Amino acid sequence: MNILGVSALYHDAAAALLSDGCLVAAAQEERFSRRKHDAALPVNAIDFCLRSAGIKHTELDYVVFYEKPIRKFERILSTQISTFPRSVRQFPRAMLTWLSSKLWIRTTLAQRLKIPPGRILFTDHHQSHAASAFLCSPFEEAAVVVMDGVGEWATSSLWHGTSQGGLALKPIAELQFPDSIGLLYSAFTAYLGFEVNEGEYKVMGMAPYGVPRYVERVEKLLQRSEGGAFRLDMSYFSFHYHPEKSFNDKFVALFGLPRSPDQRFITRSMGHPGGEDAPSRSELDECQRFADIAASIQVVTEGLMLDAIQHAARMTGCRNLCMAGGVALNSVANGRIVREGPFEGVYIQPAAGDAGGALGAALYTWHVAFGHGQRIPLDRADLGESISEARVSAFVRDARARAEELPDDVALTDRVAQMLADGQVVGWCQGRFEWGPRALGHRSILADPRFADMKERVNRRIKFREPFRPFAPATLWESGQKFYDLERSGGEGDPTRFMLMTAQIRDDVRDGIQATTHADGSSRVQRVKRSHHPRFYDLISRFGDSTGFPVLLNTSFNLKGEPIVNTPLEAYSTFCRSGLDALILDRWIVRRP
Amino acid sequence: MIRAVPCGGGCLSRQNLVESILEAIERAQMRTEAGHLITASESGRVGFVSRLKQRRIRMREDIQTLELSWWERAYDCCIALLSRATWGSERRTLLKLYEFSLTEDDSFVDVARAAELTRDEALRPQYIQHALDEARHAELFRSRAGVLLQGLRTRGHDLGPLRDRLIALRAGPIQLHAQHHPQTLFERLGERDFLGLVYLAERRGARQFRIVQRLLGSDPASSALFDTVLRDELFHMSYSRRALDRLLEQDRSTTATRLLWRIRLKRAGEAWQRLGHGMGIVSNSILFGLIYFLILGPTTLLVRRRASSGGWSRCDQGGRCGLELLSRQY
């Protein structure tokens, strides 16, 4: 039986294909369309999934959409009514898109895939998320917590997943719109001048430069109740009636003027070489205010998440936790949950955002609706399109690239490790691209984290990002604890596999790995198992042999504003337009023409 | 080859797009400052540019010149007159440059896909080169837009309305489900028609860029940019037309002239549909505005507002959900 899961029409469209319960392929549409967070129907991702399985669309048994469109439309319509007349700008836009497109998703999918409409199913949004987490986890039983902006009505939900007596995913409780952790965090993301659904990482990156002195003011925005629940004071927000703005003048009166998107961010702790470009005192004060606000919202969010986790533990009595939803990508909060929470095991699916809903929808249908109990835990994320040896050879030939093929993996990893140790920054493309937003050694930019200026170099000359953005390290599974405080790392679930939690670097090695250590001593560490990615593992290992530090700076292979690369041509084009020293495609080392 | 991007009822918020657009522009600007796109002092980068040029020259056997018929020249003269207002304004120039960069981005996707899918061994290297050129052009346009933006910012101009326009460009028109184009151009059209479309699009681009280059005489940097891009457009025209002629010679099912006219008519039809689409959006927006006040307004008096409980609501459903429930959209 072939079941295709689809998420689309809001952000991060994706497709995932199960064939008799085996996950054949999963990919986000943006990797094919080259539009970041592409929300359009993921036709390219669907075609890729079908190609991977060697089937045609007519051979699909079911197509499962990741949410209930009519219930979502109900929420939108009733929100428009309840905010009349302030929603005057949002109403026509919403009606145009819903009545012309989103309400007809069944018809659209049926026409596009040429299958009967009766074979198109719909899971609930949070149900998809919960399934994507629990059904991919290694746990027999777990509390499942889903937190995001909003699905149909739910913004946070608690579930009890169990495989005793047949797989079941029982909903326990939910918080409803507009009381949303995700939307609260997004409002601050917008306030701090970043892009919603994209800039949340930047808020996390900004927070360590600040002191949480605005926590009281953030707490004014909400009224807490038992178990991590809360009610937002909507008089500060406008996301429920304005198509573009998340917060209003009352919010601005409380926190001060928002940060402009083109305003630079520089604090006293970052330092500045001086000169014409040196920041003024008022600029530094202003940036510090923003950093403090970022720190404050991060603290409040972590508190809410921890409370919700504790509540889930009390309600279910489970020892393990699965998390999903966009808020579960808050790796700083995840680190606290792993270290301070009541659960022994913590699992977070690598595409915890809306893209993961496609996978969850398919899994839910197969395992819960059809009652197939045998699960295969998802412990590796390379589910996308592959860069095969043949494909790379053909590309190198046709592009007439200046390239050298190395004879075997040992020669490759030796050479690249040496290049990295010499201070070169390389693009590294191997095998299938990753599922989810993190680069995990399949489409990565790699560098030596020992150089103090490497962070500035990669940010400024290669990725062209804001200077304050930190980079993440990749290290070996076995040696991770030598460098990072990973005494509690989520048990069997271990979020470090997918780079979904932060940990503190150990004091004795901090000076040795500066480029991947953030201002507060934390790192969003990835631990690599040899069984999952032998080449990447061997590379880190060889690098460690020659330098004493088996840790690499690992960042996603893309330029700012672009999705992570997919094909050899995209990698080559990105390479040519950036300051990378070399491009590694499979066993080829490609240099500039 | 402008693609529509669906704008899902406010999901692409203003803040989203402002930040990402400005990032893209500034990234390209930073890259120019870093010397990746222009000749720099370091020998490695100089080498990169000149070797790339040499390779492109080797690939270009007979580059077509842009020869226009009398009516095309007359048309271009009219366009040049009408375009003076646009290219004489720094703001409008910036918007046009950004619009061009988006088009080049879309072209990269289409041509890169062609390079992946073509079975023609001779064409694949040319598609690859073409795709790399498109990506580079997008960067060049964004970079130049970034310089202009920086200039406006330095002079204290109000960038708010400009940001609104950039957002609108990036979002594109609202896409109806029936209009959703499932594949890239190569997959939809096949090789011959794709080559014909490339030829026509590149030719149109070359004409447009030549007009702009002349209009930007007082801005040497922008004029030089268009000169660089124009040369590449001529290469793209040349190889696509040669390849098309070669394929049609083998095929003999139609002539190049007929095929190109068929494509022109099809594009005219698509432009007509886009016009209708745009008019439909405007008229529907007005209609929904009326519905909002005439129907929704009174409804608010009758409907009890759903109060937020502020706490966890218990869910009473079971843990299993059958196919019958899954088939419902509600």
Side-chain angles (χ1 to χ4, degrees):
Chain A
M1 182 183 283
N2 298 308
I3 302 177
L4 178 75
V6 173
S7 63
L9 305 182
Y10 189 64
H11 58 86
D12 294 315
L17 179 65
L18 296 182
S19 199
D20 291 330
C22 289
L23 180 55
V24 173
Q28 284 173 245
E29 180 67 2
E30 66 168 23
R31 305 293 179 97
F32 301 97
S33 68
R34 310 309 300 159
R35 289 212 170 107
K36 204 148 193 202
H37 304 301
D38 194 352
L41 195 68
V43 289
N44 295 297
I46 291 172
D47 284 345
F48 156 68
C49 289
L50 297 176
R51 276 199 313 273
S52 300
I55 62 172
K56 299 178 195 157
H57 355 96
T58 45
E59 293 174 72
L60 287 169
D61 293 281
Y62 292 97
V63 175
V64 194
F65 193 66
Y66 80 133
E67 63 182 10
K68 304 273 191 188
I70 294 179
R71 205 186 299 163
K72 192 165 191 173
F73 183 61
E74 181 215 0
R75 190 249 306 157
I76 287 170
L77 202 52
S78 62
T79 308
Q80 306 279 307
I81 292 172
S82 67
T83 55
F84 182 90
R86 290 175 298 172
S87 51
V88 62
R89 287 184 59 184
Q90 198 178 49
F91 181 77
R93 209 178 293 201
M95 290 305 109
L96 267 171
T97 52
W98 275 91
L99 295 179
S100 67
S101 172
K102 293 181 180 181
L103 278 178
W104 312 109
I105 187 64
R106 174 174 257 155
T107 310
T108 306
L109 284 169
Q111 284 174 355
R112 169 72 182 94
L113 298 173
K114 297 180 179 49
I115 62 172
R119 285 207 236 149
I120 296 170
L121 308 176
F122 300 84
T123 51
D124 183 87
H125 188 100
H126 274 227
Q127 197 175 49
S128 307
H129 276 312
S132 75
F134 177 63
L135 298 176
C136 289
S137 75
F139 308 134
E140 292 296 310
E141 188 184 12
V144 187
V145 175
V146 179
M147 294 183 199
D148 63 2
V150 61
E152 291 84 0
W153 277 102
T155 62
S156 298
S157 56
L158 310 179
W159 305 72
H160 183 197
T162 175
S163 53
Q164 288 156 7
L167 272 169
L169 199 52
K170 184 171 182 292
I172 297 170
E174 66 181 28
L175 271 182
Q176 291 198 337
F177 183 86
D179 306 317
S180 166
I181 295 181
L183 291 173
L184 173 67
Y185 204 92
S186 293
F188 278 91
T189 301
Y191 174 82
L192 291 168
F194 301 123
E195 184 182 336
V196 170
N197 295 326
E198 162 66 21
E200 282 76 6
Y201 305 110
K202 299 178 189 178
V203 176
M204 273 193 280
M206 199 185 248
Y209 292 102
V211 173
R213 46 177 123 243
Y214 289 86
V215 169
E216 265 186 51
R217 292 193 211 188
V218 177
E219 292 282 353
K220 272 192 187 171
L221 303 176
L222 46 105
Q223 190 186 339
R224 290 188 187 240
S225 55
E226 189 213 338
F230 60 93
R231 180 186 294 183
L232 281 182
D233 183 347
M234 297 307 295
S235 67
Y236 288 95
F237 299 99
S238 53
F239 57 73
H240 52 310
Y241 60 79
H242 200 286
E244 288 141 8
K245 290 185 185 167
S246 312
F247 54 91
N248 58 22
D249 293 341
K250 193 174 173 187
F251 188 103
V252 173
L254 184 61
F255 290 101
L257 286 174
R259 181 175 167 267
S260 171
D262 47 2
Q263 195 174 340
R264 67 176 172 174
F265 177 73
I266 182 161
T267 63
R268 287 179 179 87
S269 58
M270 286 177 192
H272 193 277
E276 277 183 13
D277 206 27
S280 64
R281 191 173 179 175
S282 61
E283 186 181 0
L284 286 171
D285 290 342
E286 192 69 342
C287 290
Q288 191 59 51
R289 177 172 73 86
F290 294 131
D292 293 343
I293 290 171
S296 305
I297 182 58
Q298 181 63 33
V299 161
V300 171
T301 301
E302 289 170 19
L304 288 172
M305 289 175 74
L306 273 166
D307 287 346
I309 301 301
Q310 299 280 7
H311 187 62
R314 283 194 297 272
M315 297 291 285
T316 61
C318 292
R319 292 181 348 202
N320 299 312
L321 170 70
C322 298
M323 286 175 55
V327 178
L329 293 170
N330 189 317
S331 46
V332 179
N334 293 343
R336 275 193 70 186
I337 287 167
V338 166
R339 287 187 296 275
E340 300 171 30
F343 294 100
E344 289 172 18
V346 176
Y347 180 85
I348 307 167
Q349 190 250 120
D354 272 12
L359 177 57
L363 286 169
Y364 188 90
T365 306
W366 173 257
H367 286 294
V368 181
F370 284 110
H372 296 282
Q374 193 66 32
R375 286 181 295 150
I376 304 169
L378 180 67
D379 57 2
R380 51 191 297 174
D382 51 334
L383 300 171
E385 197 167 20
S386 177
I387 286 189
S388 64
E389 193 182 333
R391 202 171 168 199
V392 173
S393 304
F395 170 76
V396 166
R397 180 197 66 221
D398 292 329
R400 297 170 199 179
R402 204 157 68 96
E404 173 194 357
E405 187 182 12
L406 295 175
D408 52 42
D409 284 7
V410 173
L412 174 73
T413 51
D414 279 350
R415 176 79 79 84
V416 177
Q418 188 57 52
M419 287 163 66
L420 292 167
D422 290 342
Q424 294 188 42
V425 183
V426 306
W428 171 265
C429 291
Q430 303 291 333
R432 300 177 75 168
F433 67 72
E434 297 90 341
W435 169 239
R438 302 275 80 83
L440 300 170
H442 297 274
R443 300 289 187 274
S444 292
I445 288 174
L446 303 175
D448 184 345
R450 297 175 302 150
F451 293 97
D453 66 342
M454 187 58 78
K455 175 181 158 187
E456 196 263 343
R457 184 181 155 197
V458 178
N459 258 334
R460 187 158 171 74
R461 294 175 55 200
I462 293 170
K463 297 221 33 170
F464 306 97
R465 302 187 326 179
E466 303 88 343
F468 71 88
R469 300 270 307 273
F471 288 106
T475 186
L476 305 176
W477 184 266
E478 300 81 8
S479 55
Q481 289 213 33
K482 283 187 204 163
F483 299 95
Y484 301 95
D485 177 13
L486 290 167
E487 273 186 46
R488 288 197 72 181
S489 61
E492 274 183 83
D494 201 335
T496 61
R497 273 180 299 190
F498 303 128
M499 210 189 256
L500 288 172
M501 64 173 269
T502 58
Q504 290 294 117
I505 191 166
R506 295 199 184 280
D507 289 334
D508 53 333
V509 295
R510 183 168 179 163
D511 287 339
I513 318 174
Q514 294 184 43
T516 55
T517 304
H518 204 14
D520 60 354
S522 66
S523 297
R524 194 182 60 201
V525 62
Q526 177 198 1
R527 292 198 295 169
V528 182
K529 280 188 179 176
R530 193 170 196 283
S531 54
H532 290 164
H533 198 347
R535 256 185 212 167
F536 192 40
Y537 181 96
D538 289 345
L539 173 65
I540 299 172
S541 180
R542 296 270 185 284
F543 180 81
D545 290 342
S546 64
T547 63
F549 287 95
V551 180
L552 287 178
L553 183 155
N554 173 16
T555 184
S556 53
F557 194 168
N558 63 293
L559 303 179
K560 200 167 81 164
E562 294 179 359
I564 297 175
V565 301
N566 171 11
T567 64
L569 176 52
E570 287 161 18
Y572 187 65
S573 171
T574 302
F575 166 59
C576 289
R577 291 179 292 129
S578 70
L580 288 169
D581 296 298
L583 170 63
I584 317 299
L585 287 173
D586 196 59
R587 278 191 283 110
W588 289 82
I589 297 179
V590 182
R591 297 287 184 180
R592 294 191 181 281
Chain B
M1 297 185 204
I2 294 176
R3 284 163 167 243
V5 176
C7 177
C11 67
L12 290 172
S13 72
R14 175 198 175 102
Q15 197 66 47
N16 281 356
L17 296 174
V18 165
E19 215 260 339
S20 61
I21 289 164
L22 292 173
E23 274 180 9
I25 290 175
E26 288 181 12
R27 176 201 1 118
Q29 185 189 357
M30 285 166 73
R31 194 166 304 111
T32 304
E33 288 168 0
H36 297 296
L37 294 172
I38 57 173
T39 305
S41 58
E42 295 176 33
S43 58
R45 290 198 186 113
V46 167
F48 158 61
V49 172
S50 62
R51 277 198 292 274
L52 193 55
K53 267 188 190 166
Q54 284 168 20
R55 196 182 70 180
R56 286 213 298 276
I57 288 165
R58 279 198 300 276
M59 290 182 79
R60 298 175 197 196
E61 295 154 20
D62 299 300
I63 296 183
Q64 284 192 5
T65 51
L66 191 57
E67 290 179 7
L68 305 177
S69 59
W70 68 266
W71 59 268
E72 284 174 321
R73 282 198 296 275
Y75 179 82
D76 286 356
C77 278
C78 295
I79 295 293
L81 280 169
L82 293 170
S83 302
R84 276 182 195 279
T86 300
W87 295 98
S89 153
E90 213 170 336
R91 280 175 177 258
R92 285 191 284 268
T93 300
L94 192 164
L95 287 169
K96 287 301 284 187
L97 289 172
Y98 188 69
E99 193 181 329
F100 288 158
S101 76
L102 294 176
T103 309
E104 301 288 329
D105 279 334
D106 287 341
S107 297
F108 169 82
V109 175
D110 284 313
V111 182
R113 193 78 183 125
E116 291 274 321
L117 295 177
T118 186
R119 289 179 189 170
D120 191 313
E121 299 285 338
L123 265 176
R124 198 172 296 120
Q126 292 176 319
Y127 283 147
I128 289 174
Q129 184 55 55
H130 186 169
L132 292 173
D133 288 344
E134 299 290 2
R136 193 167 48 85
H137 295 169
E139 285 297 326
L140 285 170
F141 286 132
R142 268 193 288 272
S143 170
R144 188 64 199 145
V147 170
L148 296 177
L149 186 69
Q150 182 62 30
L152 288 172
R153 194 183 300 144
T154 309
R155 294 196 295 274
H157 283 239
D158 174 20
L159 297 180
L162 190 60
R163 286 188 191 129
D164 289 343
R165 290 296 310 279
L166 289 171
I167 289 166
L169 276 175
R170 168 79 175 266
I174 293 170
Q175 197 174 64
L176 304 177
H177 84 272
Q179 281 190 303
H180 192 92
H181 292 303
Q183 296 149 314
T184 58
L185 286 170
F186 188 90
E187 289 157 303
R188 280 185 7 232
L189 301 176
E191 185 116 58
R192 285 181 342 173
D193 282 17
F194 178 76
L195 281 168
L197 183 61
V198 166
Y199 171 73
L200 289 174
E202 297 297 316
R203 192 166 191 275
R204 180 168 168 264
R207 285 169 63 187
Q208 189 176 23
F209 294 150
R210 194 161 76 172
I211 292 169
V212 174
Q213 188 194 14
R214 287 173 185 164
L215 289 173
L216 290 175
S218 60
D219 179 358
S222 295
S223 182
L225 158 68
F226 280 97
D227 183 55
T228 303
V229 174
L230 179 57
R231 278 185 265 129
D232 289 339
E233 301 294 276
L234 293 175
F235 161 60
H236 302 158
M237 272 173 55
S238 303
Y239 92 80
S240 56
R241 186 58 196 258
R242 271 203 314 280
L244 181 63
D245 289 339
R246 174 169 59 82
L247 289 179
L248 289 175
E249 214 177 280
Q250 293 163 5
D251 193 287
R252 294 187 188 276
S253 59
T254 184
T255 62
T257 309
R258 275 198 203 136
L259 184 141
L260 291 174
W261 272 108
R262 183 166 54 74
I263 293 171
R264 285 188 181 103
L265 287 171
K266 195 173 173 186
R267 285 182 79 183
E270 285 169 2
W272 176 250
Q273 282 186 334
R274 283 197 298 273
L275 179 65
H277 179 201
M279 288 169 62
I281 288 174
V282 169
S283 58
N284 278 307
S285 297
I286 296 169
L287 181 64
F288 283 123
L290 288 171
I291 290 173
Y292 184 77
F293 288 105
L294 297 178
I295 299 176
L296 212 71
T299 310
T300 61
L301 300 171
L302 302 169
V303 169
R304 195 183 327 161
R305 293 186 185 196
R306 186 179 184 138
S308 157
S309 65
W312 293 105
S313 313
R314 288 202 69 101
C315 300
D316 296 322
Q317 295 164 22
R320 296 190 181 88
C321 190
L323 279 187
E324 198 242 317
L325 277 173
L326 288 183
S327 65
R328 289 196 221 154
Q329 296 189 56
Y330 181 80

